[in-house]
């Protein structure tokens, strides 16, 4: 079933995309400006990118940001997936709703509140601000997102599959690893990539829990921008945009591949 | 399941490789010591080429970190756990640091280039005999404006020009209690270190009449606004004004004649320093006439180094807007440390003024 878009719908779509992407491309365009500011474009140069790669500190921050994103997304996906399976297996409807609501509250509540409460918690129990504190808080705010991405997939699953597997002699562990996980794999991947992007672009929570020389890109860009936006910021933003596109492309290929293999089994 | 485990392993391996790369890039930067020197300075406040030159001349590796406010820097140094060797705080922070015993006395026999500094900038009340600090840059607080967009008679010879009805909704103020209240006090002919409540009260009442003219009270964000001609008049620091004027040649800067603030950023050595010897070398290096001149060219602030003045363009050094003559300097005052209680009062009055703006 494929419906053709009307002309007005196409125009609307085009306008929306232009509005969404114009600022990003404007920013990236000026990262190639040899004039010192965003005022007027004077000529093409790569010196701002050069400046990023010459600055070891900035590179370390960039790498740290990626490490935190990957690790926190990975751990949050594991915990979140298990959590989702656990929530579904709750027999008591009321309890299940309560747990789900608690999960959703974490998504809705403002990042600033989460960040501030983490800061209070960490200083109270004596965790030194730095890599660990950032990683823990990123894992914490990613888990509810993963749960939300995985849950529909589990609910969609026919419970007879589990019963059938148990009847055929599978133990509980086999059911989880051989029946449930393969079935909900698209949900897990979606959860992982959502967590990844959330971690990459989080500012508010990270701002509170960074310290002792450890910093992530969003926090660093914020402090750079306070002293007037230099074109180095544009260059970093350009690089981050490329990384984001790479992630989207990767996600596309991974899901395509798993769809294909699924098809071949059937 | 197998493919998921593959992905998981890949991620872990990638993270391992990345952290290895990061630690290689960072190598040595965490450990201060004999061979390295950790410099903690304001952002965009040194010519990076000079750091390379210093490394080549002395063989000491410099690790350069930046901060964006005196308070942030102070907190880090107070906390300990850092080993900064050279830091560049403003004068009122230096006073605090001396009081809290955070600084090492500077050995003047190792700073042979100290003779390059104009005596006017030495032996100031915040650090008598320069026991703890050596001047780096200095400047004033004044008005940066675009003459093409306001009536010609407004030259900001006097602070009162800010109250002119022609500037309705055009004035931007720097977000600092000392600066704004000080401006109110100066416009009335009082000292900007006033401890007299009646004078402060008067200043606030006068500031409140600015109501219709003030568009916003902001910080560093003013720079791009002025450069892009989105703002017309701003009360700000001379160094920031110099930045703006470099980018936008229409702009002009004036220090009103009733008086204003004179500020200094000086180099100090914190007690936590792990390379005191290197710190002295670095300070002495920065005072070298040629180095100082090159640094001024890059940073754009006014330098207290009179040997460097001869190397700089006459146009720069004779620009009275940024290098006020000695006669006019008499109207300029350095902030005194007012003590917590009085400072609280300044803040309270500043808040009252802010709240009165519609």
């Amino acid at each position: 079933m494929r419906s053709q878009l009307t002309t007005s719908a196409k125009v609307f779509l085009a306008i929306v995309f232009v509005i969404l992407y114009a600022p990003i491309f404007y920013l990236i365009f000026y990262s190639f400006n040899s004039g010192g500011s965003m005022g007027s474009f004077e000529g093409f140069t790569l010196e701002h990118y050069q400046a990023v790669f010459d600055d070891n500190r900035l590179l370390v921050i960039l790498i740290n940001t990626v490490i935190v994103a990957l690790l926190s997304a990975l751990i949050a996906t594991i915990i979140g997936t298990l959590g989702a399976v656990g929530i579904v297996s709750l027999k008591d409807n009321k309890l299940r709703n309560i747990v789900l609501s608690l999960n959703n509250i974490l998504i809705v509540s403002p990042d600033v509140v989460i960040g501030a409460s983490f800061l209070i918690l960490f200083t109270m129990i004596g965790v030194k601000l730095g890599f660990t504190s950032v990683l823990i808080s990123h894992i914490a705010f990613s888990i509810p997102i993963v749960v939300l991405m995985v849950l529909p997939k589990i609910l969609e699953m026919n419970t007879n599959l589990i019963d059938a597997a148990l009847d055929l002699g599978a133990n509980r562990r086999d059911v989880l690893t051989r029946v449930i996980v393969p079935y909900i794999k698209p949900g897990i991947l979606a959860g992982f990539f959502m967590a990844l992007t959330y971690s990459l672009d989080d500012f508010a929570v990270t701002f509170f829990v960074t310290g002792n020389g450890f910093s992530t890109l969003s926090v660093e860009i914020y402090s750079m921008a306070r002293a007037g936006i230099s074109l180095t910021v544009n260059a970093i933003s350009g690089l981050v945009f490329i990384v984001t596109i790479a992630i989207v492309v990767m996600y596309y290929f991974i899901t395509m591949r798993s769809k294909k293999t699924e098809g071949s089994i059937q | 399941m197998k493919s998921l485990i593959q992905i998981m392993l890949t991620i872990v391996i990638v993270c391992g490789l990345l952290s290895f790369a990061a630690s290689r890039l960072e190598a040595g930067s965490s450990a201060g010591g004999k061979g390295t020197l950790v410099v903690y300075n304001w952002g965009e406040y040194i010519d990076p080429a000079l750091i390379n030159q210093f490394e080549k001349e002395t063989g000491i590796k410099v690790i350069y970190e930046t901060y964006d406010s005196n308070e942030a820097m102070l907190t880090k140094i107070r906390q300990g756990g850092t080993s900064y060797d050279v830091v560049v705080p403003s004068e009122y922070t230096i006073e605090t640091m001396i009081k809290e015993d955070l600084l090492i006395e500077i050995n003047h026999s190792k700073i042979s280039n100290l003779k390059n500094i104009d005596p006017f900038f030495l032996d100031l009340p915040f650090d008598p005999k320069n026991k703890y600090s050596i001047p780096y840059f200095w400047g004033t607080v004044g008005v940066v404006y675009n003459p093409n967009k306001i009536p010609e008679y407004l030259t900001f010879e006097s602070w009162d020009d800010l109250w002119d009805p022609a500037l309705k909704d055009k004035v931007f103020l720097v977000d600092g209690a000392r600066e704004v209240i000080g401006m109110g006090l100066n416009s009335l002919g009082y000292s900007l270190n006033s401890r007299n409540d009646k004078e402060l009260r008067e200043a606030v009442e006068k500031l409140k009449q600015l109501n219709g003219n003030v568009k916003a009270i902001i910080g560093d964000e003013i720079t791009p606004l002025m450069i892009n001609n989105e703002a017309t008049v701003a009360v700000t620091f001379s160094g920031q004004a110099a930045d703006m004027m470099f980018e936008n040649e229409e702009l002009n800067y004036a220090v009103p004649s009733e008086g204003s603030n004179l500020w200094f950023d000086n180099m100090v050595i914190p007690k936590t320093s792990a390379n005191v010897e290197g710190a002295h070398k670095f300070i002495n290096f920065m005072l070298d006439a040629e180095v100082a001149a090159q640094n001024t060219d890059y940073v754009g602030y006014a330098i207290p180094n009179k040997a460097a003045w001869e190397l700089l363009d006459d146009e720069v050094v004779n620009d009275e807007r940024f290098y006020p003559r000695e006669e006019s300097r008499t109207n300029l005052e350095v902030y005194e440390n007012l003590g917590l209680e009085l400072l609280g009062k300044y803040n309270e009055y500043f808040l009252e003024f802010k709240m009165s703006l519609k």
Side-chain angles (χ1 to χ4, degrees):
Chain A
M1 189 185 97
R2 186 168 291 224
S3 62
Q4 214 39 257
L5 285 176
T6 62
T7 325
S8 54
K10 277 181 192 160
V11 171
F12 177 73
L13 201 63
I15 292 174
V16 168
F17 273 116
V18 166
I19 292 174
L20 288 178
Y21 278 93
I24 300 176
F25 285 118
Y26 180 74
L27 195 80
I28 294 177
F29 176 68
Y30 273 100
S31 70
F32 298 108
N33 183 11
S34 62
S37 75
M38 300 260 279
S40 60
F41 195 86
E42 281 168 25
F44 179 84
T45 176
L46 284 175
E47 68 184 50
H48 304 297
Y49 288 89
Q50 175 102 37
V52 173
F53 285 105
D54 278 350
D55 190 344
N56 275 357
R57 205 176 131 258
L58 215 52
L59 282 182
V60 168
I61 288 170
L62 193 68
I63 291 174
N64 281 341
T65 312
V66 175
I67 293 177
V68 167
L70 283 174
L71 274 186
S72 70
L74 180 68
I75 299 171
T77 308
I78 296 170
I79 300 176
T81 307
L82 294 177
V85 173
I87 289 176
V88 172
S89 66
L90 284 175
K91 292 280 175 312
D92 186 347
N93 252 338
K94 209 171 157 194
L95 182 65
R96 190 203 287 191
N97 277 336
I98 291 174
V99 175
L100 257 179
S101 308
L102 285 178
N103 182 63
N104 293 347
I105 285 171
L106 282 179
I107 295 179
V108 180
S109 63
D111 280 357
V112 178
V113 175
I114 297 179
S117 41
F118 266 118
L119 178 65
I120 296 167
L121 176 75
F122 287 140
T123 44
M124 207 171 71
I125 61 177
V127 173
K128 231 177 144 201
L129 295 187
F131 176 75
T132 329
S133 63
V134 174
L135 184 67
I136 293 175
S137 53
H138 278 214
I139 292 171
F141 72 66
S142 299
I143 290 174
I145 299 157
V146 176
V147 171
L148 221 60
M149 300 301 287
V150 174
L151 209 57
K153 268 291 179 197
I154 307 180
L155 291 175
E156 180 187 280
M157 192 172 142
N158 191 341
T159 42
N160 290 338
L161 282 175
I162 299 173
D163 294 335
L166 288 171
D167 279 350
L168 292 169
N171 59 29
R172 290 178 67 89
R173 199 171 148 245
D174 286 336
V175 170
L176 184 66
T177 57
R178 298 192 176 202
V179 181
I180 299 179
V181 169
Y183 191 89
I184 61 173
K185 202 167 116 186
I188 296 177
L189 285 177
F192 173 76
F193 282 100
M194 278 298 274
L196 196 66
T197 48
Y198 261 74
S199 167
L200 273 180
D201 74 8
D202 177 73
F203 168 74
V205 175
T206 319
F207 180 71
F208 282 99
V209 294
T210 43
N212 288 314
F214 185 87
S215 173
T216 69
L217 208 54
S218 49
V219 176
E220 184 63 19
I221 289 179
Y222 170 75
S223 56
M224 282 169 83
R226 279 175 53 117
I229 296 183
S230 79
L231 293 182
T232 319
V233 174
N234 292 33
I236 304 171
S237 308
L239 291 174
V240 173
F241 186 68
I242 292 169
V243 170
T244 320
I245 290 179
I247 291 175
V248 172
V249 171
M250 218 163 71
Y251 175 63
Y252 177 78
F253 275 112
I254 291 176
T255 48
M256 282 308 280
R257 207 183 62 177
S258 57
K259 267 205 192 109
K260 252 186 220 152
T261 49
E262 239 170 59
S264 66
I265 291 167
Q266 284 159 6
Chain B
M1 191 68 194
K2 220 172 105 193
S3 66
L4 280 183
I5 291 177
Q6 269 173 10
I7 294 175
M8 237 162 83
L9 283 177
T10 322
I11 292 170
V12 172
I13 291 169
V14 168
C15 283
L17 289 177
L18 281 176
S19 61
F20 177 70
S23 67
R24 285 298 294 273
L25 279 173
E26 234 173 5
S29 71
S30 55
K34 278 279 164 281
T36 58
L37 186 77
V38 191
V39 178
Y40 199 33
N41 198 352
W42 298 83
E44 297 284 307
Y45 214 32
I46 197 169
D47 181 353
L50 290 173
I51 297 182
N52 291 338
Q53 192 186 332
F54 176 75
E55 286 181 333
K56 257 191 214 128
E57 277 179 20
T58 58
I60 296 174
K61 186 175 156 28
V62 174
I63 296 148
Y64 191 73
E65 283 189 41
T66 59
Y67 53 87
D68 61 6
S69 78
N70 279 304
E71 288 67 28
M73 178 273 299
L74 192 56
T75 318
K76 276 205 145 178
I77 295 205
R78 268 197 202 126
Q79 262 182 354
T82 52
S83 58
Y84 298 120
D85 297 306
V86 178
V87 186
V88 189
S90 305
E91 77 285 326
Y92 64 95
T93 310
I94 293 176
E95 215 171 336
T96 315
M97 293 176 95
I98 294 174
K99 250 186 209 142
E100 293 184 15
D101 197 22
L102 295 171
L103 301 179
I104 288 177
E105 280 190 34
I106 289 174
N107 185 345
H108 285 211
S109 65
K110 286 185 187 159
I111 315 283
S112 57
N113 286 333
L114 191 61
K115 61 179 191 303
N116 290 345
I117 300 285
D118 188 288
F120 178 81
F121 303 99
L122 295 173
D123 196 16
L124 290 161
F126 62 88
D127 179 20
K129 300 228 160 35
N130 286 78
K131 258 165 87 177
Y132 298 95
S133 73
I134 305 289
Y136 187 63
F137 279 114
W138 63 285
T140 52
V141 171
V143 184
V144 59
Y145 62 103
N146 189 332
N148 301 337
K149 290 199 170 175
I150 55 171
E152 231 167 79
Y153 63 89
L154 292 174
T155 53
F156 300 98
E157 255 311 289
S158 156
W159 285 111
D160 285 336
D161 283 359
L162 286 175
W163 275 262
D164 194 282
L167 295 181
K168 194 164 172 20
D169 252 356
K170 289 205 167 109
V171 178
F172 288 75
L173 298 178
V174 58
D175 191 4
R178 292 297 304 262
E179 285 77 17
V180 174
I181 300 286
M183 169 190 120
L185 287 164
N186 278 147
S187 73
L188 291 163
Y190 299 137
S191 158
L192 49 69
N193 290 313
S194 175
R195 289 159 197 269
N196 182 331
D197 196 50
K198 209 177 122 251
E199 292 177 3
L200 285 171
R201 199 61 259 168
E202 243 181 278
V204 176
E205 291 308 324
K206 177 155 188 196
L207 283 171
K208 280 183 186 170
Q209 289 161 23
L210 261 180
N211 202 332
N213 284 6
V214 177
K215 172 100 178 178
I217 300 182
I218 55 178
D220 290 338
E221 304 91 310
I222 185 63
T223 310
L225 290 178
M226 285 304 290
I227 291 172
N228 299 327
N229 281 332
E230 285 164 42
T232 328
V233 176
V235 174
T236 187
F237 301 103
S238 58
Q240 229 174 350
D243 279 351
M244 297 172 192
M245 288 161 67
F246 180 74
E247 297 281 346
N248 182 349
E249 287 175 1
E250 284 177 39
L251 302 178
N252 198 0
Y253 177 75
V255 180
S257 61
E258 292 102 333
S260 181
N261 167 233
L262 183 66
W263 56 261
F264 303 91
D265 286 339
N266 284 18
M267 293 179 275
V268 300
I269 308 177
K271 276 243 158 93
T272 49
S273 164
N275 189 355
V276 180
E277 188 65 36
H280 279 93
K281 274 190 197 153
F282 184 80
I283 292 175
N284 195 37
F285 172 79
M286 291 312 296
L287 294 187
D288 179 79
E290 267 176 46
V291 171
Q294 188 183 336
N295 205 20
T296 315
D297 268 341
Y298 182 89
V299 178
Y301 280 66
I303 201 140
N305 195 316
K306 67 172 190 275
W309 292 346
E310 283 159 25
L311 299 172
L312 286 165
D313 287 345
D314 282 350
E315 219 177 292
V316 175
V317 183
N318 292 333
D319 190 341
E320 282 200 43
R321 295 171 304 185
F322 296 107
Y323 289 88
R325 292 275 151 270
E326 252 163 83
E327 313 85 82
S328 43
R329 271 188 228 148
T330 50
N331 289 331
L332 300 174
E333 283 177 279
V334 182
Y335 288 138
E336 287 165 17
N337 191 348
L338 296 170
L340 267 185
E341 198 184 324
L342 205 55
L343 197 61
K345 204 168 234 171
Y346 270 74
N347 281 327
E348 216 171 276
Y349 280 132
F350 183 49
L351 197 64
E352 188 185 326
F353 161 62
K354 273 189 180 174
M355 303 290 281
S356 77
L357 297 174
K358 55 161 185 1

